[in-house]
Amino acid sequence: MTYIHDTITRLQHSSPAQAEFYQAVEEVLESIGPVLEADDRYRRHSIIERITEPERQIMFRVPWVDDAGNVQVNKGYRIEFSSTLGPYKGGLRFHRNVNAGIIKFLGFEQIFKNALTGLPIGGGKGGANFDPKGKSNGEIMRFCQSFMTELYRHIGPNTDVPAGDIGVGTREIGYMFGQYKRLTARYDGVLTGKSLLWGGSAVRKEATGYGCVYFAQYMLEDRGDSLTGKTCLVSGSGNVAIYTIEKLYQLGACPVTCSDSSGTIYHPDGIDLETLKDLKEVRSARLEEYLERHPGASFIPASDYPCDGHAVWRIAADLAFPSATQNELTEADAQALVAGGCKLVAEGANMPCTQGAVDVILDARLCYGPGKAANAGGVSTSQLEMAQNASMQCWSFDEVDSKLKAIMANIFRAARDTAAEFGEPHNLVLGANIAGFRRVADAMIEQGVV
Ligand code: NDP
Ligand code: 2IT
């Protein structure tokens, strides 16, 4: 369609070398074609032109001193993409690969994800090309403090509320919150994912993984199936992967893999959650150490799959939960999943499937929960944290968990019903993109040309 081609060409000229951003934009535009045709208001109000351009992009220097006394410099970002539905909301990613294109793809996804939750939150994302691997606690703290020394002037509980993402967990949020408080002398709900000791919400840590499994459960139930007894592939071994594995066990399924950038653990008896938490949450160890405690497991180094895929997806199983990073599941991986009898792919990560993989998954009629729907439990629980902070309340674990379940059920129904309205009931990519787009686009029209 010409408007897709024209938009991508325009973005390639105005924002060069941002491949992941173009990929995310293309996926949304491909879905919303029928809506643009049915309602010419979106064209007349130049919604596509406006929504693909962030409202504000902040890029800044982050200088800090390492343990050897050397001055290090990283590049920091906060991309405030859309405030149509509420304060900018979205995580911060600290990873060596971070660049403007990656933050923009994540911020763009976040607009529609947040719209889909039905909650009053806009879309944003930030981070830095800082590599936390091998850094001491003191280095992490000094980096976080320097990052916040610039970021604090751009954020606030009613303007922009960052949270965690890859490389940013409770510890980093704590160091950033401490510095924000020192610079402003305010105890604001300015970050989410805070510790339970001082303003965090129950279930936020677990929310993305739990939410993704709830979403998978709703998809299966809709087809008259369930999680009970299902063998599951999970990639990653960070926050999302760990709590996906935990919830899969709670709901009667058996996760047999996890991975990190060094390789994949395959444990046919089921991944030992206690060992995984100890390795990753307590000791920041490499995954291969899992074998020392579980000789029945095997480790497949990442180097065995140099460019066209990932060992996790080559194991036969019922369900797949990509929970590491973007483009980690390729077309060849998707073909292997289909050949292995996989029935469902639920994306805990953001954009983990390449476009080729998505096409294979949809063509084979697998249940497919796209990230902006399936992983929305994290940001939804962040919004519940904001609500608790603003009202000075503190809800119980069960209270937040039942709200999370209800939000994931609403997201599933919105995506499924919208997909059916547009004649493709099985296609939740179409349903999620259209439902998210319509909410934000209609609100943009009501708010005028801004
Ligand atoms: P963590 O930092 O806790 O864990 C990330 C995991 O993914 C690690 O196991 C890491 O391995 C692996 N990983 C990261 N980058 C790569 C890479 N380039 N190649 C191979 N493995 C990689 O992050 P989260 O669990 O929080 O985030 C995982 C995904 O979920 C991301 O896509 C994130 O955007 C998304 N997400 C997170 C939410 C949240 O609330 N945290 C909410 C919604 C989505 P290693 O340690 O070796 O790098
Ligand atoms: O991708 C995501 O939705 C997140 N990293 C969580 C964002 C948030 O504000 O909790």
Side-chain angles (χ1 to χ4, degrees):
M1 278 179 261
T2 56
Y3 79 93
I4 302 182
H5 176 261
D6 293 351
T7 304
I8 300 297
T9 306
R10 179 172 51 76
L11 293 175
Q12 281 167 340
H13 282 105
S14 64
S15 306
Q18 298 188 341
E20 291 86 357
F21 176 51
Y22 315 144
Q23 183 185 342
V25 170
E26 199 164 346
E27 189 224 85
V28 171
L29 294 187
E30 269 172 9
S31 296
I32 63 174
V35 183
L36 299 185
E37 263 157 42
D39 188 340
D40 74 343
R41 289 177 315 141
Y42 301 125
R43 299 281 191 104
R44 279 193 286 112
H45 289 270
S46 293
I47 296 296
I48 302 298
E49 289 77 357
R50 285 195 279 152
I51 211 166
T52 52
E53 191 61 38
E55 290 175 14
R56 192 174 300 103
Q57 302 187 58
I58 301 148
M59 294 187 214
F60 51 96
R61 180 169 75 195
V62 190
W64 56 283
V65 180
D66 68 19
D67 286 348
N70 300 313
V71 176
Q72 302 284 348
V73 182
N74 288 100
K75 187 154 177 153
Y77 303 85
R78 185 69 185 167
I79 299 201
E80 298 182 334
F81 227 118
S82 168
S83 61
T84 302
L85 298 177
Y88 307 105
K89 184 83 198 85
L92 298 171
R93 177 177 290 192
F94 292 168
H95 190 273
R96 63 179 191 288
N97 291 347
V98 160
N99 58 38
I102 294 206
I103 300 297
K104 273 176 77 177
F105 117 64
L106 291 162
F108 187 74
E109 286 285 292
Q110 202 84 45
I111 303 172
F112 304 98
K113 182 195 303 190
N114 295 3
L116 204 51
T117 66
L119 302 168
I121 39 179
K125 200 84 186 190
N129 64 346
F130 172 75
D131 185 359
K133 286 201 184 94
K135 300 291 189 299
S136 71
N137 202 38
E139 289 175 325
I140 300 275
M141 182 179 74
R142 291 193 294 282
F143 178 81
C144 289
Q145 290 176 337
S146 181
F147 187 84
M148 186 51 82
T149 299
E150 174 56 35
L151 188 68
Y152 87 97
R153 68 188 88 245
H154 307 290
I155 62 176
N158 295 309
T159 51
D160 185 352
V161 185
D165 192 83
I166 291 178
V168 177
T170 315
R171 173 181 61 165
E172 290 75 17
I173 294 290
Y175 292 145
M176 287 190 271
F177 184 81
Q179 185 72 350
Y180 173 88
K181 188 161 58 68
R182 189 177 191 196
L183 289 165
T184 61
R186 294 178 64 92
Y187 207 107
D188 284 330
V190 70
L191 292 164
T192 60
K194 299 185 291 297
S195 158
L196 293 176
L197 294 176
W198 45 270
S201 172
V203 196
R204 176 60 189 91
K205 184 176 66 173
E206 296 85 355
T208 309
Y210 279 21
C212 188
V213 178
Y214 294 145
F215 195 88
Q217 187 181 29
Y218 299 134
M219 283 195 288
L220 289 169
E221 282 171 3
D222 204 52
R223 291 197 182 182
D225 203 346
S226 82
L227 284 163
T228 314
K230 297 290 190 300
T231 304
C232 305
L233 306 175
V234 179
S235 66
S237 51
N239 173 268
V240 178
I242 287 173
Y243 292 95
T244 295
I245 289 172
E246 183 165 286
K247 185 52 74 178
L248 284 171
Y249 276 127
Q250 287 174 11
L251 297 182
C254 182
V256 293
T257 63
C258 59
S259 68
D260 67 10
S261 49
S262 68
T264 297
I265 289 287
Y266 173 42
H267 195 171
D269 297 343
I271 293 293
D272 187 278
L273 188 57
E274 209 178 305
T275 303
L276 182 63
K277 284 188 178 179
D278 182 51
L279 289 178
K280 291 297 177 179
E281 292 191 326
V282 182
R283 299 200 290 115
S284 300
R286 300 314 293 165
L287 210 46
E288 206 170 351
E289 283 187 36
Y290 185 97
L291 295 184
E292 289 167 17
R293 284 187 237 171
H294 301 283
S298 51
F299 179 75
I300 308 151
S303 52
D304 284 5
Y305 288 85
C307 57
D308 72 337
H310 199 298
V312 174
W313 316 123
R314 306 307 170 102
I315 294 162
D318 301 313
L319 317 175
F321 294 84
S323 310
T325 194
Q326 64 275 358
N327 293 327
E328 56 160 314
L329 198 161
T330 65
E331 187 173 341
D333 290 330
Q335 283 160 350
L337 284 175
V338 172
C342 181
K343 296 184 176 67
L344 170 147
V345 178
E347 295 184 337
N350 284 307
M351 207 168 74
C353 293
T354 64
Q355 190 54 53
V358 175
D359 293 342
V360 169
I361 291 165
L362 289 176
D363 284 350
R365 296 282 168 132
L366 267 54
C367 290
Y368 174 53
K372 62 171 75 67
N375 73 35
V379 76
S380 300
T381 308
S382 278
Q383 197 279 340
L384 301 178
E385 184 171 328
M386 289 164 71
Q388 289 168 82
N389 292 162
S391 59
M392 296 196 170
Q393 292 179 54
C394 194
W395 303 334
S396 70
F397 191 97
D398 289 348
E399 219 171 334
V400 180
D401 192 33
S402 63
K403 286 183 199 294
L404 170 63
K405 264 188 217 156
I407 292 167
M408 296 313 295
N410 284 339
I411 294 172
F412 171 70
R413 278 193 295 266
R416 181 199 59 189
D417 295 350
T418 309
E421 182 188 336
F422 285 86
E424 292 190 43
H426 72 284
N427 187 344
L428 298 187
V429 185
L430 186 85
N433 282 330
I434 293 181
F437 175 80
R438 277 205 297 215
R439 179 166 179 233
V440 70
D442 290 348
M444 284 173 77
I445 292 171
E446 290 182 5
Q447 291 177 13
V449 179
V450 291

